[in-house]
Amino acid sequence: MDDLKTELARAEALARAAGAAAMRHYGTASATEKADASPVTEADRASNRVILAGLRARSPTTPGALSPGRAGGRATAGAFHTAMRRSIDRDG
């Protein structure tokens, strides 16, 4: 149980750090299009960098890019990223 509490605390700290990185762009971010024509802001990129750095610190094999989705029925790092972003968006 302590391992779970520790991991949850780390995930929460990472989500809060990513949220803080995104909030530095509040009111100033404009969207651009990614290759798939979906929007992305500098706030998105900043929070992505924080999350990616945090995940890499725990696991150096973390993919170089995080994007929402699934691969072959397995949850991807992007699915984790999406869950983290939803938490950030919800808790603001």
Side-chain angles (χ1 to χ4, degrees), residues 10-22 24 43-68 76-89:
R10 286 180 178 145
E12 181 180 357
L14 186 54
R16 291 190 183 283
R24 285 192 282 278
D44 294 324
R45 294 178 197 277
S47 64
N48 190 63
R49 285 189 295 271
V50 169
I51 291 169
L52 188 57
L55 292 175
R56 281 191 176 146
R58 299 280 298 143
S59 175
T61 60
T62 298
L66 300 176
S67 60
T76 64
F80 174 78
H81 179 250
T82 299
M84 294 285 284
R85 290 298 310 273
R86 286 183 182 146
S87 176
I88 293 166
D89 291 345

